[in-house]
Amino acid sequence: MEIRGENYFIQYDPSTSTVKLEGILRLYGASGYFSIEDYNKHRDVPQTETNPNAPYLSIMELFEAIAKEHAARITINLRGLELLNSSGINVLSKFVIRLRENKSSILLVKGTQQFFWQGKVLQNLQKLMPSIKVEFE
């Protein structure tokens, strides 16, 4: 399952419960992460209950679906994500809070020191979910 934009790519592998984010993710405001406006040009078929393998309409919708799976272990790989704006950080934080509230998943976040913003953001995510495991390459 994937979401592709002009400068970013998000892929989810349900067999490993791994979300991989790459590129530059700076959609306009929080609504950019919830709306389908930016994604319509990248998808043909909307996801529905009768077509669960269709692409997701928004990033937050994908995160919600992942949280509802209650996987024992979830991995978020940010190593290829060069930039995430404040609205994206907010959406990622909400996802982490949702996982913390579920109390059913171990969360591993893979980051890199190559992009300086990741160190600070991942440190803040640890405050939201102290059990989070962070790996830097």
Side-chain angles (χ1 to χ4, degrees), residues 4 7 33 37 41 49 52 56-58 61 68 86 103-104 108 121-122 129 135:
R4 186 179 298 272
N7 299 314
Y33 292 87
E37 201 169 290
K41 58 187 162 191
E49 288 184 23
Y56 287 88
L57 298 176
S58 73
E61 190 176 37
K68 287 178 183 176
S86 59
K103 298 180 184 176
S104 60
L108 169 65
V121 168
L122 296 184
M129 186 177 182
E135 286 181 7

Side-chain angles (χ1 to χ4, degrees), residues 7-105:
N7 299 314
Y8 65 90
F9 175 71
I10 301 170
Q11 182 180 38
Y12 177 61
D13 181 353
S15 67
T16 61
S17 297
T18 299
V19 183
K20 185 176 183 180
L21 294 91
E22 295 182 348
I24 298 172
L25 188 50
R26 56 176 177 201
L27 302 180
Y28 182 71
S31 63
Y33 292 87
F34 290 90
S35 72
I36 62 171
E37 201 169 290
D38 184 46
Y39 310 105
N40 282 339
K41 58 187 162 191
H42 305 292
R43 278 178 267 320
D44 299 321
V45 183
Q47 184 183 29
T48 64
E49 288 184 23
T50 58
N51 189 7
N53 294 322
Y56 287 88
L57 298 176
S58 73
I59 294 167
M60 194 62 208
E61 190 176 37
L62 174 61
F63 285 164
E64 274 297 312
I66 294 167
K68 287 178 183 176
E69 289 180 2
H70 296 279
R73 182 180 181 101
I74 297 173
T75 302
I76 302 173
N77 186 339
L78 302 176
R79 290 181 175 157
L81 189 62
E82 297 174 43
L83 178 68
L84 183 65
N85 68 359
S86 59
S87 298
I89 292 168
N90 185 30
V91 168
L92 186 58
S93 298
K94 288 179 181 181
F95 178 54
V96 169
I97 290 168
R98 176 70 189 272
L99 293 176
R100 181 191 70 200
E101 290 170 351
N102 285 352
K103 298 180 184 176
S104 60
S105 301

Side-chain angles (χ1 to χ4, degrees), residues 102-126:
N102 285 352
K103 298 180 184 176
S104 60
S105 301
I106 295 170
L107 179 60
L108 169 65
V109 181
K110 296 181 177 182
T112 178
Q113 298 289 353
Q114 181 181 355
F115 307 123
F116 69 93
W117 65 269
Q118 288 190 14
K120 183 169 174 105
V121 168
L122 296 184
Q123 189 176 38
N124 288 336
L125 291 179
Q126 283 181 307

